[in-house]
Amino acid sequence: MNWMTIAWSMVAAACLTLGMINLRVAIGQNHPTPYLFFFANSLAVASLAGLELGLLEATNLQQYESLLHWAQLPVWVMVVSILGVVWSLFRTGRTWLAVVAAGLNTIALIANFVAPEPGIRHAVAVERMPLFGATFTYAKVENSPWNLVDVMSVAILLVFVLDASIKLWQKGERQRAAIAGGGILFFMLAARAYALLVETGIVHTPYFLCFTYFGVLIAMGHELSEQVLRADRLALALRESERQLAHVERVSTMGQFATSLAHELNQPLGAILRNAEAAELFLQSPAPDLEELRAIVRDIRKDERRACDIIDRLRSFLKRGDLDARPLSVGELLHETVKLTRPHATSRGVTLQMTEAEGLPLVSGDRVHLQQVLLNLVLNAMEAMNADQNNKGYVTLGAVKNPSGAVEVFVQDTGPGFSVENAALLFEAFFTTKRRGMGLGLAISRTIIEAHGGRLWAERNGVQRGATFRFTLPSSPADCLS
Amino acid sequence: MTQAIPTVHLIDDDIAFLTATARLFRAAGLTVAQFGSAQEFLASLTLETRGCVIADLKMPGLNGLDMQTALVRTKNPLPVIFLTGYGDIPASVRAMRNGAEDFLEKHAPKEHLLEAVNRALSRDAEAQERRDRVNEFRSRFASLSEREHEVLHHVLQGKLNKQIAFDLGIHERTVKAHRTAITTKLRVHSVAILTRLAQEIGLFG
């Protein structure tokens, strides 16, 4: 095996690898066209490499002739796929130029196989020649008039690519135009020019066609991978803005019941004040009751802890962050939600109830994010009943294990419910029936639940008034016991 | 009738706050009763209950204002002081219209709180005194005979003995005897005071 066999085989292998990667990308893409063209192109270049290797090793004129004849097929695939990639990726080329180039090349292909002559190019003599320690078969090649059609189609292809690149450059995407457009043009020209030099006998070397075409492939591949990266960056930016939005929504949720929270904080702070004042009075007596004073100090400490817990809860809720999934108990989550919203409910005259939620498997989830969903649902429920003054409302929270083993959480209210026509819009961003409100709460809640691998939906209560919101959370794999 | 000791009735759903405030009042020498809810307090209320009520405005179940409304309807409407965590103007207006003694912030200094409590306690004591006096007179009036009652009615209309004797068809001396009996039983000698008392207890409509 000489170096030529190795080099040409490597090019073929590299082409196939690139092709397979892009085929895989095409399968997962909404716009697979450029990736499919690229895949076709890589197959064509790989087969050209194979055929070229065959030419180098050909032992007689007839063999050479036959291989040269067949080479026109991958050349055609290559021309059409280059046009396809540039057309579908740049979206700035003139379609008619691409069609003309493809059409002319098709005519050349048909002529190659149908015309009475051996082909649009044919070898007239072969001889073995040395090159860097190896020998290869060199042939003197003559072109038929049909070859002119092939040359013209390639020329139009070059015009098409040049035109598309210039327009892309003018649109401001200079890097793409220079690297992809410039790369394709340079390697195409190089390939054709060198082939001409070989065929006219000015240089006596192999065609090296597959190497230059491989260059074209690389130029296009660079552009395509750039597309994939761009999509990835976009997805990342989207996730980030989703997270920011969730944070904004959390802050505004907090704002909704800031007064209730102030009330909750007032309790321990008020208790601390009264205890301190009582201690002052006790200390004024000639023989202070030390037992009582000790009890006071103990209670002050306890209330300080309580106030801190409220603030911690707030802080952890407002903290922005990624999904940090841990095994957690839905029952505890519901208790916390009730604790946070109880003052709000009391001040609105809404009765907050919680049904038994014990014996449930743990779920895997992010405490803060799930808390946000629950708060959102509970506050929505209360708000709904506020719109309906004559009806002293009930909000019921609970959770059950559904047949598939997931935990299903529900928040039920006795408010006015929602209309059938609104049912489809509930989870749309910026849809709201509240006077104040961005209409993001439910949209974000659904995103959060879906990120947990669950589902969030709404039901109209049958006989009774009101609505029920339900969401599922898959049980945690860490929960082996149940 | 045994008089109960004037007691500060504290109502708050928050046990820590309840305990601390009760401690403060005890330290100030007051008698305190603690209740976790308005219902609990109303259930304990009797005619003999003395003192005042300090309640949180916002509580689960029966809230402060509803409790006040219920209390005003009883025969023993103790003065009410409301504590609130944050300024709630509509609620305070409603509370004051309903006769609340005071409306204080939860974090008001103890001097204000104790002042308000003392004011409430003395108001309750005054109200009680007045009620006792009225009851006392009512029982004295009740001891009059039917004839004495008739005579008193005429006296209060400013009639002279002669006129009364004529109206009732009795002798003037008998009228005089009745009048003596009335002043002895009621322990009141001036007609002016009699008139005022009769008005106070709503005698003769």
Side-chain angles (χ1 to χ4, degrees):
Chain A
M1 196 187 291
N2 60 43
W3 65 266
M4 287 184 182
T5 316
I6 295 170
W8 266 258
S9 307
M10 272 172 64
V11 169
C15 287
L16 288 176
T17 309
L18 275 176
M20 292 319 284
I21 291 171
N22 278 273
L23 181 65
R24 174 66 196 85
V25 173
I27 290 166
Q29 276 270 338
N30 286 330
H31 307 290
T33 324
Y35 300 93
L36 290 174
F37 275 126
F38 183 91
F39 175 63
N41 193 269
S42 65
L43 286 187
V45 179
S47 12
L48 261 180
L51 286 168
E52 222 183 324
L53 191 60
L55 290 176
L56 299 175
E57 309 273 315
T59 48
N60 57 51
L61 183 65
Q62 200 190 359
Q63 201 182 359
Y64 198 99
E65 185 76 3
S66 154
L67 287 170
L68 199 62
H69 192 66
W70 281 105
Q72 193 60 31
L73 187 61
V75 165
W76 175 79
V77 173
M78 205 184 60
V79 166
V80 171
S81 57
I82 289 174
L83 288 166
V85 170
V86 173
W87 174 78
S88 60
L89 206 59
F90 284 15
R91 301 199 164 276
T92 51
R94 291 173 216 258
T95 310
W96 66 269
L97 273 176
V99 171
V100 169
L104 285 176
N105 207 272
T106 311
I107 293 170
L109 177 75
I110 294 168
N112 186 49
F113 287 102
V114 176
E117 295 157 71
I120 59 173
R121 299 180 195 88
H122 64 104
V124 286
V126 290
E127 57 180 308
R128 297 291 287 173
M129 281 197 170
L131 186 74
F132 304 127
T135 51
F136 73 100
T137 306
Y138 175 78
K140 179 120 182 54
V141 172
E142 278 182 1
N143 292 325
S144 84
W146 285 110
N147 188 48
L148 215 59
V149 181
D150 181 53
V151 173
M152 265 169 65
S153 91
V154 172
I156 294 171
L157 177 143
L158 291 177
V159 171
F160 168 75
V161 174
L162 184 66
D163 174 57
S165 304
I166 289 171
K167 282 201 200 126
L168 197 65
W169 177 284
Q170 284 165 348
K171 271 174 74 181
E173 301 192 50
R174 300 188 166 195
Q175 201 185 351
R176 288 177 70 195
I179 296 180
I184 294 168
L185 284 171
F186 172 77
F187 286 111
M188 271 312 271
L189 271 173
R192 280 304 171 139
Y194 199 74
L196 202 66
L197 291 180
V198 172
E199 284 174 357
T200 49
I202 295 171
V203 292
H204 291 120
T205 66
Y207 278 116
F208 292 118
L209 263 184
C210 67
F211 292 92
T212 39
Y213 285 146
F214 185 62
V216 176
L217 200 65
I218 294 287
M220 293 194 299
H222 174 269
E223 174 61 20
L224 281 173
S225 59
E226 202 40 51
Q227 290 276 315
V228 175
L229 289 175
R230 194 159 33 233
D232 193 52
R233 275 196 295 271
L234 218 64
L236 206 72
L238 207 62
R239 255 202 306 282
E240 170 65 19
S241 61
E242 223 165 53
R243 214 178 56 183
Q244 279 174 356
L245 212 57
H247 180 238
V248 167
E249 179 64 22
R250 266 206 301 285
V251 173
S252 91
T253 302
M254 266 303 135
Q256 279 182 56
F257 62 132
T259 43
S260 315
L261 276 161
H263 175 85
E264 210 189 333
L265 259 180
N266 258 328
Q267 296 296 121
L269 293 180
I272 289 171
L273 174 69
R274 296 296 168 235
N275 271 319
E277 287 172 343
E280 253 167 34
L281 289 180
F282 280 126
L283 285 171
Q284 280 167 16
S285 87
D289 181 349
L290 288 181
E291 209 38 62
E292 183 81 59
L293 285 170
R294 261 184 222 113
I296 288 176
V297 171
R298 200 180 51 233
D299 282 2
I300 287 180
R301 278 178 186 283
K302 222 161 57 193
D303 281 316
E304 190 272 344
R305 194 58 256 157
R306 206 172 121 207
C308 285
D309 283 347
I310 297 169
I311 292 167
D312 281 351
R313 218 157 56 216
L314 254 177
R315 192 179 292 142
S316 74
F317 182 72
L318 289 176
K319 199 180 67 191
R320 49 177 296 185
D322 297 314
L323 224 57
D324 175 24
R326 286 159 201 271
L328 52 93
S329 144
V330 172
E332 264 176 46
L333 207 63
L334 292 178
H335 273 297
E336 272 175 29
T337 309
V338 170
K339 234 192 248 174
L340 271 166
T341 48
R342 172 83 71 203
H344 198 60
T346 308
S347 70
R348 282 169 171 261
V350 171
T351 309
L352 198 59
Q353 301 169 321
M354 190 181 146
T355 63
E356 208 56 43
E358 274 164 30
L360 292 172
L362 295 179
V363 297
S364 168
D366 183 298
R367 178 174 293 279
V368 171
H369 283 86
L370 292 178
Q371 187 70 265
Q372 175 175 5
V373 173
L374 274 167
L375 281 179
N376 190 266
L377 295 180
V378 172
L379 289 177
N380 273 354
M382 289 187 199
E383 199 110 327
M385 288 183 298
N386 209 41
D388 187 16
Q389 295 288 353
N390 320 321
N391 177 27
K392 279 240 165 180
Y394 289 85
V395 175
T396 313
L397 275 86
V400 290
K401 188 173 167 180
N402 75 9
S404 65
V407 175
E408 188 175 307
V409 182
F410 63 87
V411 176
Q412 188 167 50
D413 66 57
T414 56
F418 52 88
S419 64
V420 183
E421 54 267 29
N422 281 352
L425 300 169
L426 282 178
F427 296 98
E428 293 284 316
F430 304 113
F431 172 79
T432 181
T433 56
K434 298 180 201 168
R435 226 172 320 146
R436 276 179 300 173
M438 289 195 285
L440 287 176
L442 283 177
I444 289 171
S445 295
R446 178 171 265 184
T447 312
I448 291 174
I449 293 302
E450 282 171 0
H452 280 82
R455 220 159 61 77
L456 169 66
W457 72 99
E459 289 167 4
R460 278 140 55 87
N461 294 351
V463 189
Q464 292 152 320
R465 303 157 47 77
T468 305
F469 283 82
R470 295 176 189 277
F471 63 84
T472 56
L473 291 170
S475 55
S476 161
D479 190 62
C480 305
L481 297 170
S482 50
Chain B
M1 196 196 283
T2 52
Q3 281 288 332
I5 307 159
T7 305
V8 179
H9 298 83
L10 259 181
I11 316 172
D12 200 307
D13 58 307
D14 190 287
I15 301 301
F17 187 81
L18 192 65
T19 315
T21 314
R23 219 175 244 148
L24 172 66
F25 288 136
R26 268 200 301 276
L30 296 162
T31 308
V32 184
Q34 294 165 235
F35 302 93
S37 74
Q39 289 96 324
E40 217 179 286
F41 160 70
L42 287 174
S44 81
L45 188 71
T46 67
L47 277 178
E48 281 75 47
T49 310
R50 291 276 60 84
C52 67
V53 181
I54 300 183
D56 190 352
L57 195 62
K58 310 226 156 161
M59 289 181 290
L62 203 58
N63 72 35
L65 289 175
D66 292 342
M67 185 274 296
Q68 187 192 17
T69 309
L71 185 63
V72 169
R73 289 206 195 104
T74 68
K75 287 190 173 147
N76 191 5
L78 299 180
V80 180
I81 297 170
F82 281 118
L83 292 184
T84 172
Y86 42 94
D88 184 343
I89 293 170
S92 62
V93 168
R94 209 185 122 193
M96 296 313 264
R97 277 211 188 121
N98 227 342
E101 175 67 34
D102 230 321
F103 204 93
L104 290 173
E105 279 199 21
K106 255 196 167 144
H107 296 252
K110 70 168 187 292
E111 289 75 20
H112 292 191
L113 189 59
L114 290 172
E115 248 173 53
V117 167
N118 285 328
R119 231 180 2 248
L121 287 178
S122 56
R123 203 171 79 141
D124 180 58
E126 275 166 31
Q128 188 52 40
E129 211 178 299
R130 198 169 52 243
R131 272 199 297 269
D132 286 349
R133 207 168 58 231
V134 167
N135 286 340
E136 169 70 18
F137 282 121
R138 207 171 259 153
S139 58
R140 285 188 211 161
F141 278 115
S143 68
L144 298 181
S145 74
E146 211 167 311
R147 182 57 91 184
E148 286 162 355
H149 226 265
E150 270 179 318
V151 172
L152 178 61
H153 189 63
H154 284 84
V155 170
L156 291 180
Q157 282 172 345
K159 289 181 181 165
L160 298 172
N161 287 354
K162 205 183 274 179
Q163 274 176 299
I164 298 169
F166 178 79
D167 285 353
L168 296 177
I170 51 173
H171 203 277
E172 199 183 329
R173 257 207 319 271
T174 321
V175 175
K176 268 188 185 159
H178 281 311
R179 288 190 68 152
T180 314
I182 291 169
T183 45
T184 316
K185 280 184 179 171
L186 296 183
R187 282 177 256 159
V188 177
H189 300 278
S190 111
V191 176
I193 293 176
L194 258 181
T195 312
R196 210 196 65 216
L197 281 175
Q199 262 169 6
E200 199 171 316
I201 65 168
L203 204 69
F204 309 121

mmCIF file of all heavy atoms in Angstrom, chain A residues 410-431:
data_model
loop_
_atom_site.group_PDB
_atom_site.id
_atom_site.type_symbol
_atom_site.label_atom_id
_atom_site.label_comp_id
_atom_site.label_asym_id
_atom_site.label_seq_id
_atom_site.Cartn_x
_atom_site.Cartn_y
_atom_site.Cartn_z
ATOM 1 N N PHE A 410 -53.310 19.085 43.321
ATOM 2 C CA PHE A 410 -54.401 19.908 42.811
ATOM 3 C C PHE A 410 -54.674 21.118 43.688
ATOM 4 O O PHE A 410 -54.421 21.098 44.889
ATOM 5 C CB PHE A 410 -55.684 19.088 42.626
ATOM 6 C CG PHE A 410 -56.231 18.528 43.909
ATOM 7 C CD1 PHE A 410 -57.104 19.279 44.697
ATOM 8 C CD2 PHE A 410 -55.872 17.266 44.331
ATOM 9 C CE1 PHE A 410 -57.603 18.775 45.879
ATOM 10 C CE2 PHE A 410 -56.368 16.755 45.516
ATOM 11 C CZ PHE A 410 -57.225 17.499 46.294
ATOM 12 N N VAL A 411 -55.147 22.171 43.059
ATOM 13 C CA VAL A 411 -55.567 23.390 43.757
ATOM 14 C C VAL A 411 -56.964 23.700 43.243
ATOM 15 O O VAL A 411 -57.155 23.964 42.057
ATOM 16 C CB VAL A 411 -54.621 24.571 43.469
ATOM 17 C CG1 VAL A 411 -55.149 25.835 44.126
ATOM 18 C CG2 VAL A 411 -53.222 24.266 43.945
ATOM 19 N N GLN A 412 -57.947 23.604 44.150
ATOM 20 C CA GLN A 412 -59.334 23.734 43.732
ATOM 21 C C GLN A 412 -59.939 24.984 44.359
ATOM 22 O O GLN A 412 -59.672 25.274 45.518
ATOM 23 C CB GLN A 412 -60.086 22.499 44.219
ATOM 24 C CG GLN A 412 -61.494 22.392 43.688
ATOM 25 C CD GLN A 412 -62.053 21.003 43.951
ATOM 26 O OE1 GLN A 412 -61.978 20.526 45.073
ATOM 27 N NE2 GLN A 412 -62.579 20.358 42.930
ATOM 28 N N ASP A 413 -60.724 25.724 43.590
ATOM 29 C CA ASP A 413 -61.373 26.894 44.184
ATOM 30 C C ASP A 413 -62.873 26.858 43.922
ATOM 31 O O ASP A 413 -63.357 26.030 43.148
ATOM 32 C CB ASP A 413 -60.753 28.187 43.652
ATOM 33 C CG ASP A 413 -61.001 28.399 42.180
ATOM 34 O OD1 ASP A 413 -62.171 28.425 41.771
ATOM 35 O OD2 ASP A 413 -60.014 28.550 41.419
ATOM 36 N N THR A 414 -63.595 27.736 44.607
ATOM 37 C CA THR A 414 -65.041 27.810 44.415
ATOM 38 C C THR A 414 -65.404 29.140 43.778
ATOM 39 O O THR A 414 -66.462 29.699 44.034
ATOM 40 C CB THR A 414 -65.774 27.659 45.760
ATOM 41 O OG1 THR A 414 -65.271 28.678 46.645
ATOM 42 C CG2 THR A 414 -65.538 26.316 46.383
ATOM 43 N N GLY A 415 -64.476 29.657 42.976
ATOM 44 C CA GLY A 415 -64.702 30.935 42.306
ATOM 45 C C GLY A 415 -65.575 30.764 41.083
ATOM 46 O O GLY A 415 -66.241 29.735 40.917
ATOM 47 N N PRO A 416 -65.562 31.754 40.198
ATOM 48 C CA PRO A 416 -66.435 31.690 39.033
ATOM 49 C C PRO A 416 -65.966 30.709 37.956
ATOM 50 O O PRO A 416 -66.692 30.475 36.996
ATOM 51 C CB PRO A 416 -66.427 33.124 38.508
ATOM 52 C CG PRO A 416 -65.164 33.708 39.015
ATOM 53 C CD PRO A 416 -64.840 33.016 40.295
ATOM 54 N N GLY A 417 -64.756 30.129 38.106
ATOM 55 C CA GLY A 417 -64.273 29.208 37.080
ATOM 56 C C GLY A 417 -63.833 29.948 35.835
ATOM 57 O O GLY A 417 -63.634 31.164 35.863
ATOM 58 N N PHE A 418 -63.709 29.216 34.729
ATOM 59 C CA PHE A 418 -63.321 29.879 33.477
ATOM 60 C C PHE A 418 -64.238 29.391 32.367
ATOM 61 O O PHE A 418 -64.823 28.313 32.453
ATOM 62 C CB PHE A 418 -61.851 29.612 33.142
ATOM 63 C CG PHE A 418 -61.472 28.162 33.145
ATOM 64 C CD1 PHE A 418 -61.615 27.392 32.011
ATOM 65 C CD2 PHE A 418 -60.962 27.567 34.293
ATOM 66 C CE1 PHE A 418 -61.273 26.060 32.008
ATOM 67 C CE2 PHE A 418 -60.618 26.227 34.300
ATOM 68 C CZ PHE A 418 -60.779 25.464 33.148
ATOM 69 N N SER A 419 -64.381 30.216 31.348
ATOM 70 C CA SER A 419 -65.294 29.856 30.272
ATOM 71 C C SER A 419 -64.616 28.878 29.315
ATOM 72 O O SER A 419 -63.394 28.774 29.280
ATOM 73 C CB SER A 419 -65.704 31.114 29.513
ATOM 74 O OG SER A 419 -64.569 31.674 28.906
ATOM 75 N N VAL A 420 -65.439 28.180 28.534
ATOM 76 C CA VAL A 420 -64.911 27.179 27.601
ATOM 77 C C VAL A 420 -63.958 27.841 26.602
ATOM 78 O O VAL A 420 -62.903 27.294 26.281
ATOM 79 C CB VAL A 420 -66.068 26.483 26.853
ATOM 80 C CG1 VAL A 420 -65.526 25.400 25.937
ATOM 81 C CG2 VAL A 420 -67.051 25.891 27.835
ATOM 82 N N GLU A 421 -64.345 29.056 26.174
ATOM 83 C CA GLU A 421 -63.483 29.686 25.152
ATOM 84 C C GLU A 421 -62.143 30.136 25.738
ATOM 85 O O GLU A 421 -61.153 30.218 25.030
ATOM 86 C CB GLU A 421 -64.191 30.835 24.418
ATOM 87 C CG GLU A 421 -64.773 31.913 25.300
ATOM 88 C CD GLU A 421 -66.241 31.627 25.636
ATOM 89 O OE1 GLU A 421 -66.637 30.440 25.681
ATOM 90 O OE2 GLU A 421 -66.985 32.575 25.859
ATOM 91 N N ASN A 422 -62.128 30.412 27.060
ATOM 92 C CA ASN A 422 -60.870 30.802 27.688
ATOM 93 C C ASN A 422 -59.983 29.605 28.011
ATOM 94 O O ASN A 422 -58.784 29.754 28.238
ATOM 95 C CB ASN A 422 -61.121 31.590 28.969
ATOM 96 C CG ASN A 422 -61.490 33.031 28.679
ATOM 97 O OD1 ASN A 422 -61.414 33.454 27.533
ATOM 98 N ND2 ASN A 422 -61.884 33.765 29.693
ATOM 99 N N ALA A 423 -60.599 28.416 28.044
ATOM 100 C CA ALA A 423 -59.860 27.222 28.466
ATOM 101 C C ALA A 423 -58.578 27.037 27.667
ATOM 102 O O ALA A 423 -57.528 26.707 28.217
ATOM 103 C CB ALA A 423 -60.751 25.993 28.329
ATOM 104 N N ALA A 424 -58.663 27.283 26.367
ATOM 105 C CA ALA A 424 -57.508 27.046 25.514
ATOM 106 C C ALA A 424 -56.445 28.130 25.710
ATOM 107 O O ALA A 424 -55.275 27.916 25.427
ATOM 108 C CB ALA A 424 -57.954 27.009 24.061
ATOM 109 N N LEU A 425 -56.873 29.294 26.214
ATOM 110 C CA LEU A 425 -55.953 30.434 26.304
ATOM 111 C C LEU A 425 -55.252 30.535 27.648
ATOM 112 O O LEU A 425 -54.277 31.259 27.793
ATOM 113 C CB LEU A 425 -56.728 31.738 26.062
ATOM 114 C CG LEU A 425 -57.414 31.858 24.711
ATOM 115 C CD1 LEU A 425 -58.349 33.054 24.701
ATOM 116 C CD2 LEU A 425 -56.378 32.012 23.611
ATOM 117 N N LEU A 426 -55.788 29.797 28.648
ATOM 118 C CA LEU A 426 -55.300 29.967 30.024
ATOM 119 C C LEU A 426 -53.791 29.963 30.148
ATOM 120 O O LEU A 426 -53.217 30.737 30.892
ATOM 121 C CB LEU A 426 -55.861 28.846 30.905
ATOM 122 C CG LEU A 426 -57.305 28.997 31.353
ATOM 123 C CD1 LEU A 426 -57.701 27.786 32.178
ATOM 124 C CD2 LEU A 426 -57.471 30.253 32.174
ATOM 125 N N PHE A 427 -53.162 29.058 29.415
ATOM 126 C CA PHE A 427 -51.726 28.879 29.606
ATOM 127 C C PHE A 427 -50.911 29.670 28.585
ATOM 128 O O PHE A 427 -49.706 29.531 28.516
ATOM 129 C CB PHE A 427 -51.373 27.392 29.537
ATOM 130 C CG PHE A 427 -52.002 26.617 30.650
ATOM 131 C CD1 PHE A 427 -53.178 25.919 30.458
ATOM 132 C CD2 PHE A 427 -51.422 26.617 31.910
ATOM 133 C CE1 PHE A 427 -53.761 25.223 31.495
ATOM 134 C CE2 PHE A 427 -51.996 25.923 32.958
ATOM 135 C CZ PHE A 427 -53.169 25.221 32.747
ATOM 136 N N GLU A 428 -51.594 30.472 27.779
ATOM 137 C CA GLU A 428 -50.881 31.313 26.822
ATOM 138 C C GLU A 428 -50.227 32.473 27.576
ATOM 139 O O GLU A 428 -50.826 33.025 28.484
ATOM 140 C CB GLU A 428 -51.865 31.898 25.807
ATOM 141 C CG GLU A 428 -52.488 30.888 24.893
ATOM 142 C CD GLU A 428 -51.528 30.449 23.817
ATOM 143 O OE1 GLU A 428 -50.850 31.318 23.246
ATOM 144 O OE2 GLU A 428 -51.428 29.223 23.582
ATOM 145 N N ALA A 429 -49.009 32.806 27.153
ATOM 146 C CA ALA A 429 -48.358 33.959 27.769
ATOM 147 C C ALA A 429 -49.157 35.211 27.426
ATOM 148 O O ALA A 429 -49.735 35.310 26.345
ATOM 149 C CB ALA A 429 -46.937 34.095 27.270
ATOM 150 N N PHE A 430 -49.190 36.129 28.346
ATOM 151 C CA PHE A 430 -49.842 37.433 28.191
ATOM 152 C C PHE A 430 -51.350 37.344 28.073
ATOM 153 O O PHE A 430 -52.008 38.278 27.686
ATOM 154 C CB PHE A 430 -49.258 38.225 27.005
ATOM 155 C CG PHE A 430 -47.785 38.404 27.133
ATOM 156 C CD1 PHE A 430 -46.925 37.790 26.247
ATOM 157 C CD2 PHE A 430 -47.257 39.142 28.176
ATOM 158 C CE1 PHE A 430 -45.559 37.925 26.386
ATOM 159 C CE2 PHE A 430 -45.898 39.286 28.322
ATOM 160 C CZ PHE A 430 -45.048 38.675 27.427
ATOM 161 N N PHE A 431 -51.927 36.183 28.437
ATOM 162 C CA PHE A 431 -53.377 36.111 28.529
ATOM 163 C C PHE A 431 -53.750 36.305 29.990
ATOM 164 O O PHE A 431 -53.228 35.625 30.867
ATOM 165 C CB PHE A 431 -53.900 34.764 28.040
ATOM 166 C CG PHE A 431 -55.380 34.592 28.294
ATOM 167 C CD1 PHE A 431 -56.308 35.191 27.465
ATOM 168 C CD2 PHE A 431 -55.825 33.876 29.391
ATOM 169 C CE1 PHE A 431 -57.665 35.070 27.724
ATOM 170 C CE2 PHE A 431 -57.185 33.755 29.651
ATOM 171 C CZ PHE A 431 -58.104 34.346 28.809
#
